[in-house]
Amino acid sequence: MLQFKNVSKTYENTNVTALENVNLDIEKGEFVFLVGHSGAGKSTLIKLITAEEKATSGEIIINDINVSKLKRKEIPYYRRTLGMVFQDFRLLDNKTVLDNVAFAMRVVGANKRQIRRRAPDVLGRVGLSQKAHFLPDQLSGGEQQRVAIARALANNPNLIIADEPTGNLDPDTSKEIMEYLEEINRSGTTIIVATHDKDIVNRMHKRVIAVDGGTIVRDDERGGYSEHEEL
Amino acid sequence: MKNFSYFIKEAFSSLSSNKTVTFMTLITIVISLIVTGFIQLVSVNLVHISNQLSSNFEFNIYIKDSVADEELESVRQDILQVAMVDDAVLMTKSEAFQEFKSKMSDDPLLKGLSEEDNPFRNRFMVTVTDLNQADRVMDEIRMISEVDAISDNLETSQKLVDAREKINLYSIIIYLALALLCLSIISNIINVSIFSRRKHINIMKYVGATNWFVKTPFVIEGVLVGLFGAIFSTVLLAYGYHLIYPKIYMVMQGVFLIQPMAIFYQLLGINTVYGVCIGGLGAGFAVNKYLKV
Ligand SMILES: Nc1ncnc2c1ncn2[C@@H]1O[C@H](COP(=O)(O)OP(=O)(O)OP(=O)(O)O)[C@@H](O)[C@H]1O
Ligand SMILES: [Mg+2]
């Protein structure tokens, strides 16, 4: 479902080559960790997937869409097929938990009835039904991240991409977040998680792709965090 | 339009939550509309006045205030004596004042005006048999000791037409320059309010909102401010115009400006188009910067 073919990315403004000749194949339903030192190119790889950055060369094909060739106008429609989760949650703090999820649906043109049916449902999947009417700053970090996951689920994407989703959370909460993601993965959604969190990667025994200096240095089917990549 | 109520709600909530920005945008639009509206009023009135003048008697001969009413008829005879004078019709100061008062009868400002405040002078409206000789005729009339001043309506009319052509040329330039200036000021002001909502815009873009969807509430907001600005500035202009309207008549000795009500809707229409375009475009340009995610 996701393919990188000889993808390179050089940031024009700094002339930094963040990714070089990356080849990658991810199948539908996989759970993939993306690991590597700070500055290795993990976020760049993710931004290429989300079409936030454009590859300098090579081809990126996701869900049969040639992402590297997308026109600006087509990007919004492509993004609706993805769910994104960030380290800093990125919730609208003037909207309630439920409205944050509803907002993501409204933005892509869902009607009131669809929203009323689906928004509480996805909140239930991250265990937040009780706090639907709380504002984000009335929630713990872990709960906020769960809202972000619910929002990512709102439009029923088949791929969820998370850039350091546990970067701001303590180990127990991190573990809990990963359990929710794993649960979502079990229902068939492909998940890609960029992370520094050694414990999580080692414990979960998922596919691990290690990036270093802009290239993929390791790709283990049931890997852990290697000693060399210690951060 | 299932999104319509959402857009309107967003626009209004942001109007009220960014009061400073809304206010500054409004002020900018009002000021520039007052300037352009003023130019418009002047231009339209120049045409109006020059039409009036050219259809009036050709020359106004003003008589000195010291001349008593009983002497006026002999002055008239003196004028008619001058070669090539066709006719001379007397308009006394009280007739002029009565005419003025009747035309302005609905103006509350003039209710208290009495004969003692009469700003008009006695005058003869003179036509000549040969316009080419008019200069010589007037020179001769000027020699009559009771004559105070002469105004040549045709010449004034021609001057006004010339002035209007110049004003129209410059007003296009001024309109455009003001529009651009206004647009850049407004998009910078609105930029401030959008900056505080860039996280909001970012999130919308991440979940797959089209640029159109992100932009529309901001544009509606700009259009609403433009509309308020247009109404507000038109009312201000119309009120000011209403105040100076009778004064101009007095100063110009019998020349009327266009009636305030006759020009109100034209002014409102043009201001609305201008305000709405500037407000909407200014907001649109301002958001564009934040849509690159
Ligand atoms: N917008 C940008 N403009 C220019 N250079 C950038 C930009 N974003 C990233 N880079 C550069 O690209 C390289 C890879 O950065 P990237 O953010 O992908 O690393 P990362 O693996 O996500 O690091 P971290 O673990 O610290 O998040 C770095 O050298 C960085 O300086
Ligand atoms: Mg990163």
Side-chain angles (χ1 to χ4, degrees), chain A residues 11 13-14 16 18 36-45 47 53 163-164 196:
Chain A
Y11 285 104
N13 51 353
T14 54
V16 171
H37 296 282
S38 179
K42 305 181 294 294
S43 293
T44 302
L45 202 150
K47 284 177 184 165
E53 294 287 350
D163 195 353
E164 311 206 21
H196 280 133

Side-chain angles (χ1 to χ4, degrees), chain B residues 57 61 75-77 79-80 85-91 123-127:
Chain B
F57 282 85
I61 314 291
V75 176
R76 188 174 110 90
Q77 291 308 323
I79 292 174
L80 289 171
V85 166
D86 180 36
D87 198 6
V89 176
L90 174 65
M91 169 76 104
R123 70 176 194 268
F124 289 102
M125 297 175 285
V126 171
T127 49

Side-chain angles (χ1 to χ4, degrees), chain A residues 52 79-80 90-91 107 109, chain B residues 2 199 203 205-206 208-209:
Chain A
E52 201 178 325
R79 288 218 179 120
R80 295 172 189 186
R90 301 199 189 171
L91 301 175
V107 158
Chain B
K2 61 175 175 288
K199 182 181 169 193
I203 291 171
K205 293 292 287 178
Y206 279 123

Side-chain angles (χ1 to χ4, degrees), chain B residues 10-24:
Chain B
E10 283 286 306
F12 272 102
S13 87
S14 120
L15 275 178
S16 59
S17 63
N18 298 286
K19 286 196 189 69
T20 322
V21 169
T22 305
F23 184 71
M24 278 158 62

Side-chain angles (χ1 to χ4, degrees), chain A residues 52 72 76-77 79-80 84 86 90-93 95 103-104 106-109 151, chain B residues 2-3 5-6 10 199-200 203-211 213 291-293:
Chain A
E52 201 178 325
R72 271 175 64 89
Y77 301 97
R79 288 218 179 120
R80 295 172 189 186
M84 295 184 219
F86 302 94
R90 301 199 189 171
L91 301 175
L92 295 169
D93 27 53
K95 285 191 182 345
F103 183 72
R106 158 162 280 148
V107 158
V108 305
R151 180 181 64 195
Chain B
K2 61 175 175 288
N3 289 321
S5 65
Y6 159 77
E10 283 286 306
K199 182 181 169 193
H200 195 104
I203 291 171
M204 286 168 98
K205 293 292 287 178
Y206 279 123
V207 296
T210 58
N211 286 350
F213 187 93
L291 290 177
K292 299 206 175 88
V293 189

